[in-house]
Amino acid sequence: MAHDRDEPGHNLRRWVSAVLALALLGGAVWVVLSNRGAVDSAFAHARRADPMLIALALILPACNFGLISLSFWALNNLYARVALKEMGALIASAWLLNYLPLRPGMIARLAYHKKRHGITIRQSMWVYVISTMLTGVAILLTLGIVLLLRTDERPLFVAIALFAPAMIALALALLASSRDQPGAARLLCVYALRHADLLIWVLRYAVVFAIIGVPLSPVEAVAIAIVSQIALLIPIAGNGLGLREWAIGLTAGLLPAFAGAAPTATGLAGDLVHRGFETVAALILGIPAILWLSRRITKKTDNPPSSLASESR
C-alpha cells in the first residue's frame, strides 16, 4: 500500500522529467535555427557527404544495439534462461519506446522479464547497476588512455590503445573460464562488450561530425562520446533526449575542432543530426521487434527450458 501512495508522486516526477526533456530538445532546435551560419554550413557539408559516412551513421547505432543486447543477455541469464533473439527484441523495442514520455520501454521490458522469465524487479535492477558500473569502468579507462596519449598520436595507435582493455578482458575471460570460474568469465565478457559499445559511440561522433564538416581528432571524439555516455546515465528522459544534445553542444565550445563561429550551435546541430540517424535505426529495429513481441505475448506460448537454451546458442 505504501508503494501505491508513492505512485502519484513518482508519476509526477516522470512527467516533469519528460516535459523538461522536451523543453531542452526544443531549446536546442531553437538555438541551432537561430544561428543560420552554423545551419547552412552543416547542411551544405551534409549534402556533399560521402555516402559511406551516411551508411555508417545508420549502421553504427545498430552495432550498439547488438553489443547492448549481448551484454544484457549475458547478465539476465544469471537469473533465468532468456533466448538471445528474445533479448534482442526486448532491447530494440525498449530503445524505440523510450523516446515516448515516461520511458515506457524500460518499464515494459522489466515487466516482461518478470512475467515471462520470473526475473524480479530487484534482479533486473541489479543487472542495470552492474551494467552501469562496467560502463563507468570503461569510461574511466578510456579517459585515462586518452590523457596519456599525445595529441599528435597516429590514429591507428590510438585505436589499438583504446581497444586494448576490451581485448585484455576477453583474454582474462578465457583464462577464468579455463579455471572453472564462470562468474568472473561472464563479467569480463560483459565488460569487453560495454567497452566496445563505448568505442562504437566514439566512431559515431567522429562520423556524424565529419558529415557536417567538423572533423574530430580521436581525442576529441572520445571526449564527446564520454560526455554523451554520462548524459545518458542521468535519468531525466529516455535515451538522454534533450540533455545529451546540450551536453554535446556545451562540450563543443571547449574543443579545438569547433573553434570559430558558434561552437555551441554547431555542437547542437551535430548531435541533432546524430539523433536523426539514431531514431531511424531505432525505428528500423524497434517496430519489427514490437510486432514480434506482441504476437509472442498474444499467443502466450512458453518455450521449454531446453528450447530456450538451444535458441540462446
Side-chain angles (χ1 to χ4, degrees):
M1 294 300 292
H3 176 74
D4 293 337
R5 287 195 299 269
D6 291 340
E7 195 65 28
H10 183 61
N11 284 334
L12 177 61
R13 287 194 297 273
R14 287 163 57 193
W15 275 110
V16 169
S17 295
V19 171
L20 178 59
L22 290 176
L24 287 170
L25 186 63
V29 173
W30 181 82
V31 169
V32 170
L33 294 179
S34 299
N35 288 268
R36 294 297 304 173
V39 174
D40 292 343
S41 176
F43 276 102
H45 282 93
R47 284 194 294 269
R48 300 192 302 268
D50 187 335
M52 181 61 70
L53 290 177
I54 303 296
L56 282 172
L58 290 168
I59 292 170
L60 289 173
C63 294
N64 284 120
F65 152 76
L67 292 168
I68 293 298
S69 297
L70 284 169
S71 65
F72 273 95
W73 172 71
L75 290 174
N76 276 283
N77 273 274
L78 287 167
Y79 303 110
R81 279 186 279 187
V82 182
L84 181 56
K85 180 170 69 175
E86 191 175 18
M87 192 72 248
L90 287 167
I91 295 297
S93 59
W95 181 19
L96 179 57
L97 290 174
N98 278 343
Y99 277 107
L100 300 174
L102 309 186
R103 306 176 75 182
M106 183 183 71
I107 297 168
R109 183 173 65 82
L110 298 185
Y112 183 97
H113 278 314
K114 184 177 180 181
K115 182 175 179 61
R116 184 170 178 82
H117 304 121
I119 300 175
T120 66
I121 300 299
R122 181 183 293 273
Q123 290 170 335
S124 289
M125 292 311 298
W126 265 115
V127 167
Y128 176 77
V129 168
I130 293 169
S131 179
T132 302
M133 289 176 62
L134 292 176
T135 297
V137 173
I139 288 173
L140 290 174
L141 282 177
T142 302
L143 181 60
I145 291 169
V146 166
L147 292 175
L148 290 173
L149 294 172
R150 299 197 310 269
T151 55
D152 60 346
E153 203 69 73
R154 292 183 178 181
L156 179 58
F157 181 80
V158 174
I160 292 172
L162 292 176
F163 267 104
M167 302 307 296
I168 292 170
L170 287 177
L172 291 174
L174 289 173
L175 180 62
S177 181
S178 68
R179 295 185 174 182
D180 197 25
Q181 296 175 325
R186 185 187 299 266
L187 285 177
L188 286 163
C189 283
V190 172
Y191 170 77
L193 291 168
R194 303 302 296 202
H195 191 95
D197 174 67
L198 174 60
L199 298 186
I200 294 295
W201 278 91
V202 174
L203 286 175
R204 283 170 61 171
Y205 278 108
V207 166
V208 166
F209 279 104
I211 288 174
I212 68 167
V214 184
L216 301 177
S217 70
V219 172
E220 289 171 326
V222 168
I224 288 180
I226 288 175
V227 169
S228 171
Q229 293 301 290
I230 293 172
L232 289 172
L233 294 176
I234 300 173
I236 289 180
N239 301 328
L241 195 64
L243 183 64
R244 194 186 81 187
E245 283 78 2
W246 275 105
I248 300 307
L250 295 174
T251 302
L254 305 175
L255 301 176
F258 297 88
T264 297
T266 303
L268 287 169
D271 207 43
L272 286 170
V273 171
H274 187 197
R275 180 72 72 181
F277 284 118
E278 180 185 284
T279 304
V280 171
L283 286 166
I284 292 172
L285 292 168
I287 290 175
I290 291 171
L291 294 174
W292 184 79
L293 287 170
S294 298
R295 289 196 299 268
R296 194 173 179 86
I297 292 170
T298 301
K299 290 179 181 179
K300 296 181 179 180
T301 55
D302 289 319
N303 292 329
S306 59
S307 174
L308 280 174
S310 62
E311 197 174 353
S312 299
R313 292 191 296 266

